[in-house]
Amino acid sequence: MSHDSTTAPEAAARKLAGRRRREIVAVLLFSGGPIFESSIPLSVFGIDRQDAGVPRYRLLVCAGEEGPLRTTGGLELTAPHGLEAIARAGTVVVPAWRSITSPPPEEALDAIRRAHEEGARIVGLCTGAFVLAAAGLLDGRPATTHWMYAPTLAKRYPSVHVDPRELFVDDGDVLTSAGTAAGIDLCLHIVRTDHGNEAAGALARRLVVPPRRSGGQERYLDRSLPEEIGADPLAEVVAWALEHLHEQFDVETLAARAYMSRRTFDRRFRSLTGSAPLQWLITQRVLQAQRLLETSDYSVDEVAGRCGFRSPVALRGHFRRQLGSSPAAYRTAYRARRPQSGETGAGKPDKPVELAPVAGHEPPGHGPVPAQSRRTAAAHALGAPTTSVSTGPGGPSGPTGHAEGGKPASDAFAPGRASLPGQRSAP
């Protein structure tokens, strides 16, 4: 999928400095980086597959700091090049960063900035996006990262338009990908951009992966939260919302319970989570619908009512936008994947899935949920990276664009960008 990038024309006109070569790819490694992500660009750009019709790149593996570089399992790596080698590269790839809470070395950031200024294409895979953001290269741009870290990226770098739904985002001269395997998707996209579909398809066959994956990250999303948010007073309001998803209420109701104006509540909620409260609420209703579709025999109409949607039409619209299928199709596909007769691999019955209680339908022997448990549940629900739609639970009126953790298109992305999940690339 493509979008109209405001930086794409500028990026297309950029020229490499004389000492840089387009076929040279520098991979920047740091100590503490995971070995899987680090190995992706090494395998894609560092192995000669010309016999399969894949044009050859020249790979430079560069240490972003003093070695040896430690990685997964205690392995130690010695990179053959230092930061000076980046000066020859037409593409610089940062496959990962060791910590989303600590700043990268300033020397490495300077080298990345200089490479960009000299026309190099800069790529961040997974948490490598944090390095690009620290270098200032993502300011005012759309970007993605692993869904688990998207709220933190949005909060730490508010000028970055974080879209947690995408597998990768191509903004011309700066590209970012989601976590782990999505790095393969972006590297294939780079080969496709440089050498065409045939070359990318040949490489995909060698790697035994699909040349293009449809959909985005939303199917993998957990609704986790940066730990520091769990103790905030807003957690009590969120806990109340989670316990009353079967009721039809809106963000104004939540703001009133927090004793805030709607504007203040929106600002406070967004500053804590990187997500707009309306989009968070819709996502929680869709999640509850998922659970009911998986664990009950309620009709779609009944599921809609039990999740606070005013009509089945509203449920279907939001469900399809977030998960890419209708509720009925989702239930059918889910049950087709489940073992028959309610048994798992060893013949044991499935463990029942506990749902948030619905008024009048509390399980026997279950009293009110303690306040501390409500706060804990809220802490796991507040930070959901969400998709952006233009209506509340009352009914859909079509997508309004992507969101950084759910931000409306008006303040998250430039008009005209695509609003469906998948891969976004500059024309």
Side-chain angles (χ1 to χ4, degrees), residues 92-94 104 109 112 122-125 127-139 174-176:
V92 178
V93 182
V94 184
L109 297 181
I112 293 172
I122 311 298
V123 181
L125 307 183
T127 52
F130 283 81
V131 179
L132 272 58
L137 300 187
L138 298 182
D139 290 352
V174 177
L175 304 87
T176 52

Side-chain angles (χ1 to χ4, degrees), residues 85-315:
I86 292 178
R88 297 152 52 195
T91 298
V92 178
V93 182
V94 184
W97 173 238
R98 60 175 167 263
S99 171
I100 62 174
T101 58
S102 62
E106 192 59 38
E107 295 82 0
L109 297 181
D110 287 341
I112 293 172
R113 294 186 193 105
R114 192 178 312 113
H116 183 254
E117 290 170 359
E118 294 179 354
R121 175 172 53 190
I122 311 298
V123 181
L125 307 183
C126 192
T127 52
F130 283 81
V131 179
L132 272 58
L137 300 187
L138 298 182
D139 290 352
R141 293 178 180 264
T144 193
T145 187
H146 194 297
W147 58 262
M148 188 164 61
Y149 306 124
T152 303
L153 182 63
K155 182 181 178 183
R156 186 174 294 272
Y157 301 100
S159 61
V160 180
H161 305 316
V162 181
D163 189 339
R165 300 199 311 172
E166 305 293 354
L167 290 176
F168 63 80
V169 172
D170 178 346
D171 199 44
D173 54 345
V174 177
L175 304 87
T176 52
S177 83
T180 315
I184 300 176
D185 295 296
L186 180 50
C187 288
L188 283 172
H189 170 75
I190 291 171
V191 174
R192 186 180 301 111
T193 300
D194 291 349
H195 301 292
N197 287 324
E198 188 173 344
L203 176 58
R205 288 190 292 274
R206 278 293 183 94
L207 297 176
V208 198
V209 296
R212 294 177 187 262
R213 278 199 293 168
S214 61
Q217 292 193 82
E218 67 281 344
R219 72 188 71 181
Y220 309 110
L221 296 181
D222 187 7
R223 279 22 194 183
S224 55
L225 171 72
E227 293 182 0
E228 67 270 16
I229 302 175
D232 191 272
L234 275 184
E236 285 287 349
V237 176
V238 171
W240 180 90
L242 293 173
E243 292 176 8
H244 294 80
L245 289 175
H246 57 284
E247 299 178 8
Q248 294 178 12
F249 60 87
D250 53 20
V251 178
E252 280 77 7
T253 302
L254 300 181
R257 294 190 68 85
Y259 302 100
M260 299 178 186
S261 68
R262 170 62 188 271
R263 178 177 296 181
T264 300
F265 182 79
D266 281 6
R267 184 172 60 250
R268 177 66 174 157
F269 195 99
R270 194 188 298 275
S271 69
L272 285 171
T273 69
S275 172
L278 173 59
Q279 313 313 324
W280 175 87
L281 179 58
I282 292 172
T283 296
Q284 298 308 313
R285 294 192 189 280
V286 170
L287 281 172
Q288 181 75 341
Q290 273 186 278
R291 290 189 286 265
L292 290 178
L293 290 167
E294 293 169 359
T295 61
S296 77
D297 292 320
Y298 294 130
S299 68
V300 172
D301 290 17
E302 290 174 313
V303 170
R306 287 174 174 268
C307 296
F309 292 103
R310 295 182 181 176
S311 71
V313 173
L315 168 61

